[in-house]
Amino acid sequence: MEPSMPLYKDSRVPVEIRVADLLARMTLDEKVLQLNQYTLGRNNNANNIGEEVKEIPAEIGSLIYFDTDPGLRNAMQRRAVEESRLGIPVIFGYDAIHGFRTIYPISLAQACSWNPALVRKACAVSAQEARMSGVDWTFSPMIDVARDPRWGRVAEGYGEDPYTNAVFCEASVRGYQGKKLSDSTSVAACLKHYVGYGASEAGRDYVYTEVSPQTLWDTYLPPYEAGVKAGAATLMSSFNDISGVPGSANRYTMTEILKKRWKHDGFIVSDWGAIEQLKNQGFAADKREAAWRALNAGLEMDMMSHAYDRHLADLVAEGKVSQQTVDDAVRRVLRVKFRLGLFDNPYTPEVPDRFLRPSSLETAGQLAAESMVLLKNDSTQILPFKDVRRIAVIGPLARDKWDLFGSWCGHGDPETVTTFWDGIVKEFGGKAEIRYAEGCRRDGNDRSGFKAAADTAAWADVVVLCLGENMKWSGENASRSSISLPAIQEELAAEIARCGKPLVIVLSNGRPLELNRLEPMANAILEAWQPGVKGGDAVAGILSGRINPSGKLAITFPYSAGQIPIYYNRRKSGRHHQGFYQDITSEPLYPFGHGLSYTTYAYGDLTASATDFRRGDRIKVSVAVTNTGSVAGDETVMWFVSDPYCSITRPVRELKYFEKKHIEPGRTEVYTFTIDPMRDLSFVDSDGKRFLEAGEYNVIVNGKSLKLNLTE
């Protein structure tokens, strides 16, 4: 008689039963190996750092897979499934931050689109390309609320506002994970970096952060709670020390909050080498102690510290880590693997049509267009171009391909990029003569190209000056003390401005920039960010007027780096008439929510279904917005709430809802915010308990305010 199939191999059996059955069959050594992540392949952003296949145990839990070859992935998976005792498949992870092969705009730019449905669609593109290449798990989205643009990783998140990060987090998770994780086009999402990484001192990576319990709950945790509620399979612990306890050994955040309060049943992975880093932070004497501190705090998977695989079995034998703790960690890892369908379909089919599908490129192009922000368009109204016959395209970013990807460029191919020059030639070719001059490199002191650039500008009717950052000037380990462009670029702009021709500056960058010297030189400034493969088409479409810009800033542009930190939802000052800078303005150059259009909008007064209400009521607040211009546009209405008096001081205003609608010329659209008082008007205390106080609340839209009164 043939032996019956083990329960864990039977796809008809519920996941929890399969997990329990497999866990009961595993030895301690097999369990320990499930809690470790190795690397395989070549990393686009670094050197070849993957171990040889023969050095990776077949029973390993996870691999970071830097390749795109399903065959190589399947070979490694075959070792795990066919050569190990229990045949437990490997989960393959990768940093598909804003695209896998079809690279769309950086996450900071995506937030400026205010179109979470489109971001969800883009993440689904990334998931499809990743899964069909052998990747099951992406280390994305990054939802660190970031208020210091000196921090390079501000490019990877959704800006300075907790609610905005929460909304785009939910959209990203649902885009990556699809209807169910086991689908062939879905990948497991990973919320990072849990938690408070964006509060880094002076905008530097890996360093100490001072986050009060109150700020932890009202600012940094909300996006993670939203992601967990959306079903995010995994989280990544943060490098930073959180007020004395490192994120990778913080029991309060990982166990008390995430597992006990929020009931998350997936697993947490460390950031690269973060467990070993506990030694550097002075939280562990050696790697062995770091291992038991991390696992006992609730960190299930060790990414590249080699702390668990080398020390966990001994720690169990010594009684420093319980068998129950190990079992719970392994159970969480196995649960995600079962949900991904890896036990039933461990191999990746090799299909030719994986990348750059027309629909994927269309999504990338639409997201690039909606992400771009028209910062300035002065009284000359040079944009959009009308009857322009000679266009000068100048600057170090004009013909650049790689840098339009931004940091974390995935497996993007620069040959697929439409440069700003390419887009302008395609848009205006046959209608205008177009000439190019580089002018200068992105950095350095070589001014030899200035004359040719000035001559080209003097010839033209209008100048498009393309300035910005190298892709590696933002992202991980890319902190900067200054957020201005290199002096050579500002000098080029001054040289071109002296020609007296209408000047449009197009910026490609991964963070807010200090523009107070450039701004007076330009008639118009378009923030294109690092827009991905279709950036050139989007820029050209905005210049021509084929695309009406609709982006609005999800992060403040300071007037000067000396103002940092500066963000819209600060708390109130003790003296409203004092405390300002003596040498510069205290106002930002471009505030949160700023963004111009080629049309104009008139906002009506706010109206409410009721202005006096009880805590169990639902109130509808509406505003009519009319397109008073001559072209159609997409307008985002942002709904802010202000609580003038509260037992815990609150920000001057807090974004609680936003909505983007298309409005034809002369037409009016009504935007409505349905207020749930406990959700939208309440606040949290320093232990995360939500409370709602009776009294006055203000709803604010576009400078208009409506007073509401909670009677009980």
Side-chain angles (χ1 to χ4, degrees), residues 418-440:
T418 302
T419 67
F420 296 155
W421 166 260
D422 293 335
I424 291 169
V425 168
K426 183 164 59 173
E427 188 82 20
F428 294 95
K431 306 171 190 174
E433 185 180 352
I434 308 163
R435 294 183 183 178
Y436 163 77
E438 183 181 38
C440 68

Side-chain angles (χ1 to χ4, degrees), residues 400-402 404-405 413-419 422 532-535:
D400 190 275
K401 293 185 176 183
W402 264 114
L404 296 195
F405 279 151
D413 179 356
E415 294 308 309
T416 64
V417 172
T418 302
T419 67
D422 293 335
V533 292
K534 300 296 285 182

Side-chain angles (χ1 to χ4, degrees), residues 348-667:
T348 298
E350 297 189 40
V351 295
D353 181 23
R354 289 181 283 154
F355 304 131
L356 300 176
R357 297 177 174 182
S359 60
S360 302
L361 290 171
E362 182 180 353
T363 298
Q366 184 182 352
L367 187 52
E370 293 197 31
S371 297
M372 294 180 183
V373 182
L374 184 59
L375 298 176
K376 178 179 181 180
N377 195 19
D378 69 12
S379 59
T380 64
Q381 293 290 289
I382 185 61
L383 290 180
F385 292 158
K386 300 179 183 70
D387 300 321
V388 172
R389 294 288 177 259
R390 293 180 294 184
I391 303 173
V393 181
I394 297 172
L397 271 296
R399 285 184 168 176
D400 190 275
K401 293 185 176 183
W402 264 114
D403 295 310
L404 296 195
F405 279 151
S407 62
W408 299 108
C409 58
H411 288 286
D413 179 356
E415 294 308 309
T416 64
V417 172
T418 302
T419 67
F420 296 155
W421 166 260
D422 293 335
I424 291 169
V425 168
K426 183 164 59 173
E427 188 82 20
F428 294 95
K431 306 171 190 174
E433 185 180 352
I434 308 163
R435 294 183 183 178
Y436 163 77
E438 183 181 38
C440 68
R441 306 301 295 271
R442 285 178 294 275
D443 205 353
N445 299 305
D446 184 359
R447 297 166 178 77
S448 61
F450 277 25
K451 185 179 185 305
D455 289 345
T456 304
W459 159 85
D461 296 326
V462 65
V463 179
V464 179
L465 181 59
C466 304
L467 306 176
E469 292 188 314
N470 182 302
M471 65 185 298
K472 294 188 176 181
W473 291 358
S474 58
E476 185 173 0
N477 197 28
S479 301
R480 297 180 63 191
S481 65
S482 168
I483 58 170
S484 60
L485 288 176
I488 190 72
Q489 293 194 46
E490 291 193 355
E491 291 170 13
L492 175 63
E495 185 76 14
I496 300 304
R498 280 192 284 271
C499 297
K501 296 301 178 73
L503 175 60
V504 178
I505 294 179
V506 176
L507 298 169
S508 177
N509 42 288
R511 54 160 56 82
L513 298 173
E514 181 180 293
L515 300 174
N516 63 66
R517 292 173 297 281
L518 284 172
E519 190 274 339
M521 303 178 195
N523 299 101
I525 302 176
L526 176 64
E527 176 55 80
W529 303 108
Q530 289 159 331
V533 292
K534 300 296 285 182
D537 289 323
V539 164
I542 291 173
L543 295 179
S544 72
R546 175 174 54 84
I547 297 169
N548 187 355
S550 62
K552 295 180 185 288
L553 293 179
I555 191 168
T556 299
F557 273 51
Y559 176 84
S560 164
Q563 295 175 321
I564 297 170
I566 183 171
Y567 48 93
Y568 90 91
N569 53 343
R570 65 195 184 281
R571 281 174 162 82
K572 297 174 184 177
S573 167
R575 287 187 172 179
H576 297 176
H577 63 291
Q578 291 181 318
F580 304 114
Y581 293 110
Q582 298 298 304
D583 54 343
I584 58 171
T585 177
S586 293
E587 295 300 315
L589 183 61
Y590 298 117
F592 179 90
H594 174 76
L596 304 178
S597 171
Y598 292 154
T599 192
T600 53
Y601 301 100
Y603 281 64
D605 292 329
L606 304 184
T607 61
S609 58
T611 54
D612 294 315
F613 60 96
R614 298 179 178 183
R615 61 185 62 236
D617 294 341
R618 297 291 184 273
I619 309 100
K620 290 186 177 181
V621 184
S622 300
V623 64
V625 181
T626 302
N627 183 340
T628 55
S630 58
V631 296
D634 296 319
E635 175 70 348
T636 298
V637 170
M638 298 180 180
W639 298 85
F640 297 90
V641 166
S642 171
D643 184 354
Y645 311 102
C646 184
S647 57
I648 297 175
T649 62
R650 296 179 63 166
V652 293
R653 58 192 177 115
E654 304 163 58
L655 184 66
K656 291 295 183 179
Y657 184 62
F658 61 84
E659 186 177 13
K660 189 173 190 176
K661 290 186 177 184
H662 183 76
I663 311 179
E664 292 291 329
R667 299 297 297 272

